[in-house]
Structure formats: structure tokens, C-alpha cells
């Protein structure tokens, strides 16, 4: 197994399965306390990853700007339609979380036994796995940033899905088990993405743009509207602080990885120049001193 594939498996497992375990391990009172903060944080992380890492990398890697922007638009419309048919769910709600939805909201969201929740979550996780694989194939540092963004988003989403399944009548053990199985779809997407995408390097910039469109859509269409509520100034500042923390973390990661890549490129150029200077003269060549 190549190191890239190993990193993809580890990153998708963390994004798809560990986030489920973390969500299930928290009590309802703790969930009520932290979910709204995690939503603000993940919105910042997703926007920062898309706009500061994925899109710049896509434009630097290749492809015409017109084609890449058309891909971005197409990606936004695609995820919009996918969510319309409930195959790309974003659930960050549960009873008592402070959002102004009506009572038994989660029981309604659960649908017929919660299976629609699990199907939509599985497809979402599979897409995340493919996006993580694409980012790792483009650059390992980009892959890490993308995985961090997915994990930051998956924890509040899995909190919502877990509570929805409980409201649908699942026991805690069944809700955890089925959510974990759903999370494994991310690993499947990552592995398939690695083998399908790897031979087709020209696709990578466009797939990075699709990953960006996914993150932007989730942040703008789902997360930020949840934050657009009239709050006391202190709560508003808290929201902004968590949002800024997510953006700042991705900006810092982008700066550090760019500096590392630049330093690595300079070191490689220096080593190449040194080898060229130190290379022995070809046999039989004339000695200029003679």
C-alpha cells in the first residue's frame, strides 16, 4: 500500500467513523452546549479550506479559468439538486439545541425509520471520501487540510444524525452502529477515488473545484443560515469568534504549508545545482589548465 493511499484511508476513517464515535460519546447536555459553536467553527473551516487552499491549488495546477469557474457553478447546482432529493443531507439540529424549530422536529426529519437519513449520510460520506482522495493526490498538505475541514463539519453533522435516529426509535447502540457503517462509506469513497482518479491527472484541478463547491455549498446554504438569528451582542461575538477561529486556522495552515513547499523547492534546486557543480568532468575531456 502506498503512503498516499494509507493517508487517504486514515483521513477518511477519521472523518467518517471517529466523528460518529465522538458524537455518540457526548451527553445531550454537552451536545446542546457545543453544537452551535461547532457549526460556527466548521463554517469557517469549510470556507477557509475552499477559498484559501482548494481553489488556489486548482487554478495553479492547470485548466482555463473559464472552465474552472464553470465547474464551480456546476458543482454548486449539483449539490443543490442532490440535497433537493435528500441524498446529500446536512443535519445539525436536535431537540434543545437552541434553534427555533418546532417540537418533534427531529422525529419528522427522521422520516420512515431513519433509513433516509442513513442513505443520505452514506452518499454524503462517500462524496467526502472522494474529495479527500482528490486532495491527497494533488498534494499531501492539501489532503490534510481537506480532511480537517471534513472532520470539523462531520462532528456536528453526526451529532444531528445521531439525535435524529434516536428520535426515530433507534436504540443508542443501533444508532451508533448504523452511523458508523454509514461513516465507512467515506473510506470506500477514498479508496475508489484513489484508484479511479490517480491515472487521470488532468482531472485533478476540476475535482478540486468540485470539492470547493461542496464546502462552499454546505457553509453558505446550511451552516451560515443557522447563524443568522437575532442574538444578544455577546452571543453574536461568540459566533464571530468561532467563525474567525475556523478561518484563521485554515489561513495559518495554508501559510505554513506554502512556506514548507517553497522551502522544499529551494532545497531541491540547491541540491540539483550542487550536484551539477560537483559532477566529475567526462572522461577524455580537455583540461582547460593545459
Amino acid at each position: 500500500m502506498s503512503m498516499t493511499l494509507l493517508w487517504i484511508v486514515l483521513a477518511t476513517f477519521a472523518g467518517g467513523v471517529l466523528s460518529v464515535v465522538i458524537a455518540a460519546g457526548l451527553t445531550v447536555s454537552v451536545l446542546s452546549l457545543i453544537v452551535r459553536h461547532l457549526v460556527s467553527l466548521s463554517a469557517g473551516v469549510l470556507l477557509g479550506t475552499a477559498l484559501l487552499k482548494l481553489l488556489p491549488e486548482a487554478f495553479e495546477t492547470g485548466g482555463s479559468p473559464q472552465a474552472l469557474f464553470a465547474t464551480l457553478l456546476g458543482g454548486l447546482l449539483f449539490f443543490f439538486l442532490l440535497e433537493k432529493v435528500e441524498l446529500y443531507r446536512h443535519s445539525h439540529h436536535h431537540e434543545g439545541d437552541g434553534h427555533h424549530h418546532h417540537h418533534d422536529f427531529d422525529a419528522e426529519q427522521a422520516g420512515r425509520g431513519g433509513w433516509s437519513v442513513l442513505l443520505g449520510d452514506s452518499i454524503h460520506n462517500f462524496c467526502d471520501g472522494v474529495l479527500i482522495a482528490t486532495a491527497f493526490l494533488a498534494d499531501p498538505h492539501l489532503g490534510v487540510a481537506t480532511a480537517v475541514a471534513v472532520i470539523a463539519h462531520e462532528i456536528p453533522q453526526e451529532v444531528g444524525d445521531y439525535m435524529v435516529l434516536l428520535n426515530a426509535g433507534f436504540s443508542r447502540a443501533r444508532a451508533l452502529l448504523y452511523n458508523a457503517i454509514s461513516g465507512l462509506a467515506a473510506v470506500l469513497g477514498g479508496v475508489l477515488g484513489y484508484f479511479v482518479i490517480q491515472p487521470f491527472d488532468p482531472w485533478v484541478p476540476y475535482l478540486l473545484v468540485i470539492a470547493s463547491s461542496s464546502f462552499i455549498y454546505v457553509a453558505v446554504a446550511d451552516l451560515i443560515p443557522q447563524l443568522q438569528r437575532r442574538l444578544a451582542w455577546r452571543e453574536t461575538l461568540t459566533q464571530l469568534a468561532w467563525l474567525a477561529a475556523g478561518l484563521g486556522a485554515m489561513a495559518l495552515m495554508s501559510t505554513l504549508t506554502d512556506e514548507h513547499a517553497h522551502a522544499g523547492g529551494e532545497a531541491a534546486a540547491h541540491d540539483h545545482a550542487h550536484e551539477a557543480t560537483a559532477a566529475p568532468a567526462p572522461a577524455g575531456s580537455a583540461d582547460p589548465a593545459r
Side-chain angles (χ1 to χ4, degrees):
M1 182 183 293
S2 72
M3 284 303 298
T4 300
L5 180 58
L6 179 61
W7 276 109
I8 290 171
V9 170
L10 293 175
T12 51
F13 183 83
V17 179
L18 290 185
S19 56
V20 174
V21 176
I22 292 171
L26 300 175
T27 64
V28 174
S29 59
V30 173
L31 294 178
S32 301
L33 180 65
I34 68 171
V35 162
R36 59 182 179 272
H37 299 319
L38 289 176
V39 168
S40 300
L41 177 68
S42 61
V45 170
L46 290 176
L47 288 176
T49 304
L51 299 176
L52 301 178
K53 289 293 296 179
L54 293 175
L55 284 177
E57 180 72 19
F59 278 84
E60 289 175 5
T61 303
S64 71
Q66 292 83 357
L68 292 174
F69 275 115
T71 302
L72 178 63
L73 176 60
L76 293 171
L77 293 175
F78 171 74
F79 289 114
F80 168 73
L81 293 174
L82 206 58
E83 189 174 32
K84 272 287 188 183
V85 294
E86 297 188 350
L87 294 180
Y88 199 66
R89 291 180 56 88
H90 311 289
S91 176
H92 306 90
H93 316 278
H94 59 84
E95 307 293 355
D97 63 1
H99 295 142
H100 299 296
H101 49 69
H102 58 271
H103 188 62
D104 292 332
F105 175 86
D106 291 306
E108 292 180 11
Q109 288 290 299
R112 298 179 179 177
W115 296 111
S116 63
V117 175
L118 292 170
L119 175 62
D121 199 29
S122 297
I123 293 174
H124 188 156
N125 290 333
F126 181 86
C127 292
D128 284 344
V130 174
L131 300 182
I132 289 174
T134 302
F136 269 105
L137 288 171
D139 180 77
H141 297 105
L142 190 64
V144 171
T146 304
V148 168
V150 168
I151 293 169
H153 169 53
E154 281 300 315
I155 292 176
Q157 177 175 315
E158 294 301 342
V159 168
D161 287 342
Y162 181 67
M163 298 305 294
V164 166
L165 292 179
L166 292 181
N167 277 276
F170 285 69
S171 66
R172 287 183 176 272
R174 286 184 68 208
L176 174 59
L177 174 63
Y178 288 132
N179 251 356
I181 293 173
S182 172
L184 288 175
V187 182
L188 177 63
V191 173
L192 287 179
Y194 173 81
F195 287 107
V196 171
I197 297 167
Q198 190 180 28
F200 301 99
D201 282 346
W203 292 8
V204 171
Y206 299 94
L207 291 172
L208 291 178
V209 171
I210 292 174
S212 300
S213 68
S214 169
F215 289 172
I216 292 170
Y217 179 79
V218 171
V220 173
D222 180 67
L223 300 180
I224 290 179
Q226 294 183 47
L227 307 179
Q228 294 285 16
R229 296 183 291 118
R230 189 177 297 278
L231 298 171
W233 66 269
R234 186 167 299 182
E235 291 179 323
T236 300
L237 289 178
T238 302
Q239 273 188 352
L240 292 174
W242 281 101
L243 186 65
L247 287 169
M250 300 319 297
L252 178 62
M253 181 178 292
S254 177
T255 301
L256 292 177
T257 54
D258 288 347
E259 289 178 353
H260 179 78
H262 181 68
E266 286 187 343
H270 175 76
D271 291 343
H272 180 73
H274 178 72
E275 289 173 2
T277 303
S285 61
D287 187 344
R290 291 180 181 176

